[in-house]
Amino acid sequence: MRGLNRVLFNSARTEATIGGGTLISEAIEAAYASNAQITTGNCNCVGTLGAILGGGYGNLMGLHGFGVDTLISFNYVDATGQLSTVTPDVPELWWAFRGAGPNFGIVTSAVVKSTYVTQAQSTAWLGSLIFSGDKLERVVSAINNIKLEPKMNVFLYFAVSESEPVILINPFYYGDEVTGRQKFASILNIGPLSDMTAVTPYNHWNDGAARFCLRGGRKPSYAAGLLQMIPTVWRAVWNEFVNFTSNAGTEQSIVLMEAYSLGKARSIPDNASSFPYRQVNFNAVAIAWYSNASLDPIAEAYGRRVRDLWWTNNNMTANTSYINFANGDEPANVVYGPHIQRLEWLKKKYDPANVFSHWFPLAPRPRLDPLPMKDE
């Protein structure tokens, strides 16, 4: 599969054909070299299309929507070994793949929307602001209240630096530094201990996530979708993080929250694809990172406690986890949401033998009552 890693653009750079083995780093480098941009995830070592098929958050989604919204067509191998093409003219699979794709086949290539942008224009102000733990409530409130415009996003991290737990805030503004600082003034005015932001070219926007690509170790993750950032909840999560990372060998562990401008994504109906969570405002995940297997029970208990803090102190109507962040212990309805019944019926129709069952598997079930196959 890794050999299928070519990225080709049409002459106008409005479309890109991406091979199924293309890493995000390869897709971005190809786009940058071609004076183009494509909507990808933020972790360079992840497969470009794999991230997109799960929904596809990314730095440019405020302008273009989720990754699934940028798909034009794709080729896939089905459960019988047949290579086929899916477009909106194949509505059932077009809907199912865009949010639950690996349950229905192996995508070998896809055509996605792209944008012509010169390298000189492909820059953003981004980087890390480091805050001490006593600033947590102010930082969380500022993130909860900030208006994220289409060229903006913001990440929050809990990490360990020089043996001390710290808060990192990573603002992102697709544009110049002066405007970026104005847009994020409510966070900057809290007073970071360190400011490591800079104007950065497109092909280095993901450099701050390089640590996620380190091989080795045990890295169970526990994720939740949130409607709001509640300072008291995040203080409780901080306390859990500080306590867990006091164990020797856990200093690589992190807590991460991502927030994006969602206006463009929400201009597309919730039922346009099987991706279920356009109404989630913040995605949070706790990653316990260590090597000693004897820490497994401690790490798993820690991760579940943090996830429960998010789930039980939120106004979502049901527990949610973004599938690309999820652990695997969640019930299927937590990652597939209200689309689970329709997905299970389509699984029964297109993969009744459950050939594709290795990624948050769906149970093939017969259709028991009418389910609309177009916009619901």
Side-chain angles (χ1 to χ4, degrees):
M1 192 70 167
R2 274 291 287 130
L4 301 176
N5 64 349
R6 295 186 68 190
V7 181
L8 302 173
F9 291 85
N10 66 358
S11 59
R13 271 85 104 204
T14 57
E15 295 181 5
T17 301
I18 302 174
T22 306
L23 300 180
I24 287 173
S25 60
E26 295 169 334
I28 290 174
E29 288 291 352
Y32 188 67
S34 300
N35 288 308
Q37 290 178 349
I38 52 180
T39 300
T40 71
N42 301 322
C43 187
N44 279 336
C45 56
V46 172
T48 306
L49 299 185
I52 287 174
L53 293 175
Y57 287 88
N59 288 318
L60 294 170
M61 66 172 294
L63 298 172
H64 307 301
F66 284 101
V68 294
D69 303 327
T70 70
L71 284 166
I72 296 172
S73 66
F74 55 86
N75 295 324
Y76 84 106
V77 177
D78 67 18
T80 70
Q82 179 74 31
L83 180 65
S84 302
T85 299
V86 175
T87 71
D89 293 330
V90 187
E92 291 178 345
L93 287 174
W94 180 248
W95 180 86
F97 264 92
R98 294 179 306 127
N103 273 282
F104 294 92
I106 300 170
V107 175
T108 59
S109 66
V111 181
V112 302
K113 298 174 185 176
S114 63
T115 307
Y116 171 75
V117 184
T118 66
Q119 290 185 0
Q121 296 171 314
S122 269
T123 60
W125 175 74
L126 56 90
S128 293
L129 306 169
I130 300 179
F131 293 88
S132 55
D134 62 296
K135 301 290 179 62
L136 177 60
E137 284 79 4
R138 293 179 63 190
V139 167
V140 169
S141 294
I143 291 173
N144 191 61
N145 294 326
I146 197 168
K147 177 177 172 55
L148 292 174
E149 299 172 5
K151 295 183 178 182
M152 298 167 65
N153 66 61
V154 63
F155 292 4
L156 174 151
Y157 292 90
F158 295 164
V160 177
S161 176
E162 298 180 352
S163 301
E164 291 293 327
V166 295
I167 303 163
L168 280 75
I169 302 300
N170 285 20
F172 175 95
Y173 177 71
Y174 177 30
D176 65 275
E177 179 174 356
V178 172
T179 307
R181 289 185 175 276
Q182 292 171 349
K183 300 293 185 183
F184 287 98
S186 62
I187 294 174
L188 288 161
N189 289 342
I190 296 171
L193 297 172
S194 179
D195 182 337
M196 297 179 287
T197 59
V199 173
T200 304
Y202 172 52
N203 61 334
H204 289 284
W205 287 0
N206 288 352
D207 287 1
R211 65 182 297 180
F212 292 104
C213 295
L214 295 174
R215 294 180 180 273
R218 309 169 86 82
K219 305 166 189 171
S221 59
Y222 297 83
L226 311 174
L227 282 184
Q228 56 186 331
M229 296 283 286
I230 303 172
T232 54
V233 172
W234 282 91
R235 174 58 68 183
V237 172
W238 171 264
N239 292 340
E240 289 282 359
F241 174 78
V242 171
N243 182 61
F244 176 71
T245 54
S246 68
N247 293 289
T250 61
E251 62 277 355
Q252 292 291 327
S253 300
I254 65 163
V255 171
L256 165 64
M257 186 286 305
E258 297 184 356
Y260 298 88
S261 172
L262 295 167
K264 175 63 176 178
R266 289 175 178 167
S267 70
I268 297 166
D270 286 348
N271 53 19
S273 68
S274 62
F275 174 71
Y277 294 136
R278 292 177 188 270
Q279 300 311 312
V280 167
N281 291 327
F282 308 95
N283 274 299
V285 59
I287 303 175
W289 193 330
Y290 55 97
S291 296
N292 188 342
S294 68
L295 289 172
D296 283 349
I298 298 171
E300 291 164 7
Y302 154 72
R304 291 192 178 104
R305 285 196 304 271
V306 170
R307 186 175 60 186
D308 285 344
L309 282 167
W310 287 324
W311 277 349
T312 58
N313 294 279
N314 196 25
N315 290 328
M316 297 291 293
T317 57
N319 293 339
T320 69
S321 292
Y322 176 42
I323 198 166
N324 289 345
F325 286 176
N327 176 276
D329 67 338
E330 304 89 347
N333 64 297
V334 170
V335 292
Y336 295 116
H339 299 319
I340 182 68
Q341 185 182 7
R342 180 172 171 183
L343 282 168
E344 289 176 342
W345 176 76
L346 292 173
K347 180 73 169 177
K348 177 71 173 178
K349 181 175 180 179
Y350 290 100
D351 183 20
N354 208 18
V355 171
F356 303 109
S357 60
H358 305 289
W359 184 82
F360 298 94
L362 291 163
R365 300 188 194 279
R367 185 174 178 176
L368 300 178
D369 50 28
L371 291 173
M373 286 296 108
K374 296 184 179 180
D375 288 348
E376 294 164 314

